Amino acid sequence: MARRSTRGEARHASPFSVWLMRHAQTFLASLGRLSNAPFATLLTSAVIGVALALPMGMYVILNGVNHLADDWEVSAGITVFLKKGVEERRATELAASLRSRPGIVDVTLISADAALEEFRRHSGLRDALDILEENPLPTVIVLEPLVTAGGDAVESLVDELRFMPEAETVQLDLIWLKRFRALTQIAHRATMVLIILFALAVILITGNTIRLEIRNRSAEIEVIKTVGGTDAFIRRPFLYNGLIYGLLGGLIAWLLIGLALHSLAGAVDHLAMLYDSEIRMPAMGVGDVLTLLGGSTFLGLVGSWMVVGRHIRAIEPT
Amino acid sequence: MIHFDKVSKRFPGGQEGLSDISFFVDHGEMVFVTGHSGAGKSTLLRIVGLLEYCSKGDVRVGGYDLSAITRIQVPYYRRKVGMIFQDHRLLHDRTVFDNVAMPLVVSGAHHSDIGKRTRAALDKVGLLSKERFPPGVLSAGEQQRVGIARAIVARPPLLLADEPTGNLDPALSLEIMHLFEEFNRVGVTLLIASHDRDLIRTMNKRVISLNEGRMLADSAASRGTPEEVNDGAS
């Protein structure tokens, strides 16, 4: 018959809770040891923090810029070039009917004459244009679709405009946006490469710090081995140290990114004013923060894991 | 308890630490290992404590074949052997209590057990009142007693002491030896390396004499007086 735990036996700790307790004790002991040398601990954590803040900050800002581009995508203007034979009266009618449609914020009619006049003024080709017998420019209607309409609505509007008999070509002003997207994509790639490189740096920094700690505590390790401490027992506090360095480094990186974004806030507000739009300040979401802290903790653990085994094995009681 | 059969130890440098050593120590014996420095006393003790593997021969301790114990198993073996060193090997960044408690902590003893047994061990060596002190402020004799408390706290059946009185004056040395005798009376087997012939003579116990890594004499085999054996070793 299986032994059932009676009330009396339940008072004894289960192996799991003993294990958990031992880990909690080691964690607290590591924390205590590190807080005994606050300057050294802070220094190591700060190095990790700076190493993480750089790529992570770039990532956050880049994400903000991408959100901005999403807004611009739907607010991009539509330019309708009318056929040459379309009379000005008909063009005005068209503009008026478009203006009354939902989903369109603004309609601007630029007559061929007005366009030529403006071109004359700005291009510096006044004399050359005078030679022309007739106006080469078409009449143009510029539409500004509603921002909230969304990309699909804009696309279908463009398709509809293309079917108008008066329309020669319809252009969605997306080319610059596509170029911009391509640029941010490169920046994104570069950030990813940076994240990998700096993650590697964090692993190496933690590993080296732990290696020195092991060397400084070799006398203690010798004694523990003499009295029968296993490698796992000796390893544990060093692993926790690496984990704590990583976590503190992540917190410092979070702080640094916060400060950097705060210092950008004024400039972003100014930009928002210029564009007369609601540009949102890039910020770290809960997911970003958790990724940063979890990632940095993990990297610290990996860094110490990489050195503890070999260096602890090398120390034997003499 | 301890069985050496044609044991040799050659160090990586090539020099011979022990050659062809055979002896047997029974449960509950108290045995001195003597000889000049470099005779192999420490090496012999280190092999018994598994701080070192022998190069040749068989070593059996308390039912263990030491050459069959793997790296992973070594810590569990060492928990069954208490070791005492001439230089105490205490950690000066923690209290006397924490030093003595260490063998219990590494073996995962229960928290309340650690307190009880550590204080019992400190009481036995007469240092209960100094548990909160760092070992650095204690005298040499007291520090050695802290080292002894640490060796006995987990109640191992075998104690190894390498020149435990090397730094102590004769009166303190004798005090330590009487402490060892007390442990021996409750059944602990002791193997004590010492070059202090006067002290060994006073104790009147079995003596194994080494010279340049070889067995010179074993008073258990000849049943001669310890004096004769000691003179032979000189």
PDB file of all heavy atoms in Angstrom, chain B residues 30-54:
ATOM      1  N   MET B  30      43.821   4.140  16.648  1.00  0.00           N
ATOM      2  CA  MET B  30      44.416   5.471  16.584  1.00  0.00           C
ATOM      3  C   MET B  30      45.874   5.265  16.203  1.00  0.00           C
ATOM      4  O   MET B  30      46.624   4.650  16.968  1.00  0.00           O
ATOM      5  CB  MET B  30      44.285   6.173  17.932  1.00  0.00           C
ATOM      6  CG  MET B  30      44.893   7.556  17.974  1.00  0.00           C
ATOM      7  SD  MET B  30      44.274   8.461  19.423  1.00  0.00           S
ATOM      8  CE  MET B  30      45.345   9.886  19.432  1.00  0.00           C
ATOM      9  N   VAL B  31      46.232   5.716  15.017  1.00  0.00           N
ATOM     10  CA  VAL B  31      47.548   5.388  14.474  1.00  0.00           C
ATOM     11  C   VAL B  31      48.298   6.666  14.099  1.00  0.00           C
ATOM     12  O   VAL B  31      47.734   7.577  13.507  1.00  0.00           O
ATOM     13  CB  VAL B  31      47.394   4.492  13.214  1.00  0.00           C
ATOM     14  CG1 VAL B  31      48.752   4.150  12.630  1.00  0.00           C
ATOM     15  CG2 VAL B  31      46.606   3.241  13.546  1.00  0.00           C
ATOM     16  N   PHE B  32      49.576   6.688  14.473  1.00  0.00           N
ATOM     17  CA  PHE B  32      50.432   7.810  14.069  1.00  0.00           C
ATOM     18  C   PHE B  32      51.229   7.423  12.836  1.00  0.00           C
ATOM     19  O   PHE B  32      51.674   6.281  12.703  1.00  0.00           O
ATOM     20  CB  PHE B  32      51.402   8.177  15.199  1.00  0.00           C
ATOM     21  CG  PHE B  32      50.735   8.935  16.301  1.00  0.00           C
ATOM     22  CD1 PHE B  32      50.252   8.279  17.418  1.00  0.00           C
ATOM     23  CD2 PHE B  32      50.579  10.317  16.209  1.00  0.00           C
ATOM     24  CE1 PHE B  32      49.623   8.976  18.434  1.00  0.00           C
ATOM     25  CE2 PHE B  32      49.957  11.017  17.223  1.00  0.00           C
ATOM     26  CZ  PHE B  32      49.473  10.357  18.341  1.00  0.00           C
ATOM     27  N   VAL B  33      51.382   8.363  11.926  1.00  0.00           N
ATOM     28  CA  VAL B  33      52.265   8.177  10.775  1.00  0.00           C
ATOM     29  C   VAL B  33      53.404   9.157  10.970  1.00  0.00           C
ATOM     30  O   VAL B  33      53.172  10.354  11.119  1.00  0.00           O
ATOM     31  CB  VAL B  33      51.544   8.467   9.446  1.00  0.00           C
ATOM     32  CG1 VAL B  33      52.481   8.215   8.276  1.00  0.00           C
ATOM     33  CG2 VAL B  33      50.290   7.622   9.328  1.00  0.00           C
ATOM     34  N   THR B  34      54.617   8.652  11.002  1.00  0.00           N
ATOM     35  CA  THR B  34      55.729   9.559  11.281  1.00  0.00           C
ATOM     36  C   THR B  34      56.838   9.415  10.252  1.00  0.00           C
ATOM     37  O   THR B  34      56.821   8.494   9.420  1.00  0.00           O
ATOM     38  CB  THR B  34      56.251   9.332  12.718  1.00  0.00           C
ATOM     39  OG1 THR B  34      57.209  10.345  13.020  1.00  0.00           O
ATOM     40  CG2 THR B  34      56.926   7.966  12.846  1.00  0.00           C
ATOM     41  N   GLY B  35      57.791  10.299  10.317  1.00  0.00           N
ATOM     42  CA  GLY B  35      58.897  10.329   9.369  1.00  0.00           C
ATOM     43  C   GLY B  35      59.309  11.770   9.148  1.00  0.00           C
ATOM     44  O   GLY B  35      58.622  12.706   9.567  1.00  0.00           O
ATOM     45  N   HIS B  36      60.449  11.940   8.482  1.00  0.00           N
ATOM     46  CA  HIS B  36      60.926  13.301   8.201  1.00  0.00           C
ATOM     47  C   HIS B  36      59.984  13.995   7.247  1.00  0.00           C
ATOM     48  O   HIS B  36      59.162  13.351   6.592  1.00  0.00           O
ATOM     49  CB  HIS B  36      62.320  13.240   7.579  1.00  0.00           C
ATOM     50  CG  HIS B  36      63.342  12.723   8.523  1.00  0.00           C
ATOM     51  ND1 HIS B  36      63.697  13.387   9.666  1.00  0.00           N
ATOM     52  CD2 HIS B  36      64.082  11.587   8.494  1.00  0.00           C
ATOM     53  CE1 HIS B  36      64.605  12.695  10.300  1.00  0.00           C
ATOM     54  NE2 HIS B  36      64.855  11.584   9.622  1.00  0.00           N
ATOM     55  N   SER B  37      60.135  15.312   7.122  1.00  0.00           N
ATOM     56  CA  SER B  37      59.334  15.989   6.104  1.00  0.00           C
ATOM     57  C   SER B  37      59.776  15.454   4.741  1.00  0.00           C
ATOM     58  O   SER B  37      60.966  15.245   4.503  1.00  0.00           O
ATOM     59  CB  SER B  37      59.513  17.505   6.174  1.00  0.00           C
ATOM     60  OG  SER B  37      60.698  17.846   6.835  1.00  0.00           O
ATOM     61  N   GLY B  38      58.813  15.203   3.906  1.00  0.00           N
ATOM     62  CA  GLY B  38      59.113  14.624   2.604  1.00  0.00           C
ATOM     63  C   GLY B  38      59.130  13.118   2.620  1.00  0.00           C
ATOM     64  O   GLY B  38      59.390  12.472   1.609  1.00  0.00           O
ATOM     65  N   ALA B  39      58.829  12.504   3.783  1.00  0.00           N
ATOM     66  CA  ALA B  39      58.838  11.045   3.870  1.00  0.00           C
ATOM     67  C   ALA B  39      57.596  10.433   3.228  1.00  0.00           C
ATOM     68  O   ALA B  39      57.576   9.249   2.933  1.00  0.00           O
ATOM     69  CB  ALA B  39      58.937  10.613   5.324  1.00  0.00           C
ATOM     70  N   GLY B  40      56.563  11.265   3.040  1.00  0.00           N
ATOM     71  CA  GLY B  40      55.352  10.760   2.400  1.00  0.00           C
ATOM     72  C   GLY B  40      54.151  10.710   3.322  1.00  0.00           C
ATOM     73  O   GLY B  40      53.110  10.160   2.957  1.00  0.00           O
ATOM     74  N   LYS B  41      54.270  11.308   4.540  1.00  0.00           N
ATOM     75  CA  LYS B  41      53.152  11.283   5.489  1.00  0.00           C
ATOM     76  C   LYS B  41      51.917  11.966   4.902  1.00  0.00           C
ATOM     77  O   LYS B  41      50.820  11.406   4.920  1.00  0.00           O
ATOM     78  CB  LYS B  41      53.531  12.010   6.796  1.00  0.00           C
ATOM     79  CG  LYS B  41      54.820  11.578   7.441  1.00  0.00           C
ATOM     80  CD  LYS B  41      54.991  12.253   8.801  1.00  0.00           C
ATOM     81  CE  LYS B  41      55.223  13.758   8.715  1.00  0.00           C
ATOM     82  NZ  LYS B  41      56.572  14.128   8.256  1.00  0.00           N
ATOM     83  N   SER B  42      52.153  13.170   4.392  1.00  0.00           N
ATOM     84  CA  SER B  42      51.017  13.929   3.859  1.00  0.00           C
ATOM     85  C   SER B  42      50.411  13.226   2.656  1.00  0.00           C
ATOM     86  O   SER B  42      49.186  13.150   2.523  1.00  0.00           O
ATOM     87  CB  SER B  42      51.476  15.330   3.447  1.00  0.00           C
ATOM     88  OG  SER B  42      51.841  16.058   4.576  1.00  0.00           O
ATOM     89  N   THR B  43      51.282  12.698   1.800  1.00  0.00           N
ATOM     90  CA  THR B  43      50.786  12.001   0.611  1.00  0.00           C
ATOM     91  C   THR B  43      49.903  10.829   1.011  1.00  0.00           C
ATOM     92  O   THR B  43      48.836  10.610   0.434  1.00  0.00           O
ATOM     93  CB  THR B  43      51.976  11.516  -0.235  1.00  0.00           C
ATOM     94  OG1 THR B  43      52.825  12.622  -0.493  1.00  0.00           O
ATOM     95  CG2 THR B  43      51.512  10.913  -1.542  1.00  0.00           C
ATOM     96  N   LEU B  44      50.348  10.099   2.025  1.00  0.00           N
ATOM     97  CA  LEU B  44      49.564   8.952   2.490  1.00  0.00           C
ATOM     98  C   LEU B  44      48.183   9.405   2.972  1.00  0.00           C
ATOM     99  O   LEU B  44      47.155   8.826   2.597  1.00  0.00           O
ATOM    100  CB  LEU B  44      50.327   8.252   3.620  1.00  0.00           C
ATOM    101  CG  LEU B  44      49.821   6.884   4.068  1.00  0.00           C
ATOM    102  CD1 LEU B  44      50.991   6.040   4.563  1.00  0.00           C
ATOM    103  CD2 LEU B  44      48.778   6.992   5.164  1.00  0.00           C
ATOM    104  N   LEU B  45      48.168  10.465   3.772  1.00  0.00           N
ATOM    105  CA  LEU B  45      46.893  10.962   4.281  1.00  0.00           C
ATOM    106  C   LEU B  45      46.009  11.499   3.145  1.00  0.00           C
ATOM    107  O   LEU B  45      44.791  11.307   3.149  1.00  0.00           O
ATOM    108  CB  LEU B  45      47.131  12.076   5.318  1.00  0.00           C
ATOM    109  CG  LEU B  45      46.950  11.654   6.771  1.00  0.00           C
ATOM    110  CD1 LEU B  45      47.959  10.574   7.135  1.00  0.00           C
ATOM    111  CD2 LEU B  45      47.072  12.821   7.716  1.00  0.00           C
ATOM    112  N   ARG B  46      46.652  12.155   2.185  1.00  0.00           N
ATOM    113  CA  ARG B  46      45.883  12.719   1.066  1.00  0.00           C
ATOM    114  C   ARG B  46      45.242  11.613   0.229  1.00  0.00           C
ATOM    115  O   ARG B  46      44.159  11.792  -0.325  1.00  0.00           O
ATOM    116  CB  ARG B  46      46.787  13.596   0.198  1.00  0.00           C
ATOM    117  CG  ARG B  46      47.177  14.924   0.879  1.00  0.00           C
ATOM    118  CD  ARG B  46      48.260  15.645   0.090  1.00  0.00           C
ATOM    119  NE  ARG B  46      47.831  15.910  -1.276  1.00  0.00           N
ATOM    120  CZ  ARG B  46      47.012  16.893  -1.608  1.00  0.00           C
ATOM    121  NH1 ARG B  46      46.540  17.695  -0.697  1.00  0.00           N
ATOM    122  NH2 ARG B  46      46.669  17.069  -2.861  1.00  0.00           N
ATOM    123  N   ILE B  47      45.931  10.480   0.156  1.00  0.00           N
ATOM    124  CA  ILE B  47      45.358   9.362  -0.605  1.00  0.00           C
ATOM    125  C   ILE B  47      44.153   8.782   0.145  1.00  0.00           C
ATOM    126  O   ILE B  47      43.117   8.496  -0.448  1.00  0.00           O
ATOM    127  CB  ILE B  47      46.439   8.295  -0.879  1.00  0.00           C
ATOM    128  CG1 ILE B  47      47.406   8.813  -1.947  1.00  0.00           C
ATOM    129  CG2 ILE B  47      45.797   6.991  -1.329  1.00  0.00           C
ATOM    130  CD1 ILE B  47      48.593   7.926  -2.206  1.00  0.00           C
ATOM    131  N   VAL B  48      44.298   8.683   1.472  1.00  0.00           N
ATOM    132  CA  VAL B  48      43.169   8.162   2.266  1.00  0.00           C
ATOM    133  C   VAL B  48      41.975   9.124   2.178  1.00  0.00           C
ATOM    134  O   VAL B  48      40.826   8.706   2.075  1.00  0.00           O
ATOM    135  CB  VAL B  48      43.583   7.949   3.732  1.00  0.00           C
ATOM    136  CG1 VAL B  48      42.390   7.483   4.553  1.00  0.00           C
ATOM    137  CG2 VAL B  48      44.713   6.934   3.825  1.00  0.00           C
ATOM    138  N   GLY B  49      42.262  10.435   2.202  1.00  0.00           N
ATOM    139  CA  GLY B  49      41.200  11.435   2.133  1.00  0.00           C
ATOM    140  C   GLY B  49      40.716  11.688   0.717  1.00  0.00           C
ATOM    141  O   GLY B  49      39.840  12.522   0.496  1.00  0.00           O
ATOM    142  N   LEU B  50      41.313  11.010  -0.248  1.00  0.00           N
ATOM    143  CA  LEU B  50      40.981  11.123  -1.662  1.00  0.00           C
ATOM    144  C   LEU B  50      41.137  12.554  -2.186  1.00  0.00           C
ATOM    145  O   LEU B  50      40.386  13.033  -3.010  1.00  0.00           O
ATOM    146  CB  LEU B  50      39.560  10.607  -1.937  1.00  0.00           C
ATOM    147  CG  LEU B  50      39.330   9.998  -3.328  1.00  0.00           C
ATOM    148  CD1 LEU B  50      40.378   8.963  -3.669  1.00  0.00           C
ATOM    149  CD2 LEU B  50      37.958   9.376  -3.405  1.00  0.00           C
ATOM    150  N   LEU B  51      42.164  13.237  -1.645  1.00  0.00           N
ATOM    151  CA  LEU B  51      42.564  14.490  -2.259  1.00  0.00           C
ATOM    152  C   LEU B  51      43.497  14.146  -3.417  1.00  0.00           C
ATOM    153  O   LEU B  51      43.903  14.997  -4.192  1.00  0.00           O
ATOM    154  CB  LEU B  51      43.298  15.386  -1.251  1.00  0.00           C
ATOM    155  CG  LEU B  51      42.496  15.798  -0.024  1.00  0.00           C
ATOM    156  CD1 LEU B  51      43.319  16.710   0.881  1.00  0.00           C
ATOM    157  CD2 LEU B  51      41.209  16.497  -0.427  1.00  0.00           C
ATOM    158  N   GLU B  52      43.846  12.884  -3.478  1.00  0.00           N
ATOM    159  CA  GLU B  52      44.813  12.391  -4.450  1.00  0.00           C
ATOM    160  C   GLU B  52      44.481  10.927  -4.718  1.00  0.00           C
ATOM    161  O   GLU B  52      44.035  10.230  -3.816  1.00  0.00           O
ATOM    162  CB  GLU B  52      46.200  12.463  -3.812  1.00  0.00           C
ATOM    163  CG  GLU B  52      47.346  12.554  -4.754  1.00  0.00           C
ATOM    164  CD  GLU B  52      47.926  13.968  -4.725  1.00  0.00           C
ATOM    165  OE1 GLU B  52      48.344  14.423  -3.647  1.00  0.00           O
ATOM    166  OE2 GLU B  52      47.936  14.588  -5.777  1.00  0.00           O
ATOM    167  N   TYR B  53      44.666  10.490  -5.960  1.00  0.00           N
ATOM    168  CA  TYR B  53      44.546   9.058  -6.258  1.00  0.00           C
ATOM    169  C   TYR B  53      45.936   8.447  -6.218  1.00  0.00           C
ATOM    170  O   TYR B  53      46.928   9.122  -6.535  1.00  0.00           O
ATOM    171  CB  TYR B  53      43.964   8.850  -7.661  1.00  0.00           C
ATOM    172  CG  TYR B  53      42.473   9.102  -7.770  1.00  0.00           C
ATOM    173  CD1 TYR B  53      41.993  10.304  -8.277  1.00  0.00           C
ATOM    174  CD2 TYR B  53      41.559   8.129  -7.385  1.00  0.00           C
ATOM    175  CE1 TYR B  53      40.626  10.530  -8.402  1.00  0.00           C
ATOM    176  CE2 TYR B  53      40.194   8.346  -7.506  1.00  0.00           C
ATOM    177  CZ  TYR B  53      39.733   9.555  -8.020  1.00  0.00           C
ATOM    178  OH  TYR B  53      38.395   9.766  -8.136  1.00  0.00           O
ATOM    179  N   CYS B  54      46.034   7.162  -5.826  1.00  0.00           N
ATOM    180  CA  CYS B  54      47.340   6.526  -5.887  1.00  0.00           C
ATOM    181  C   CYS B  54      47.622   6.111  -7.333  1.00  0.00           C
ATOM    182  O   CYS B  54      46.708   6.021  -8.147  1.00  0.00           O
ATOM    183  CB  CYS B  54      47.400   5.320  -4.955  1.00  0.00           C
ATOM    184  SG  CYS B  54      46.317   3.974  -5.418  1.00  0.00           S
TER     185      CYS B  54
END
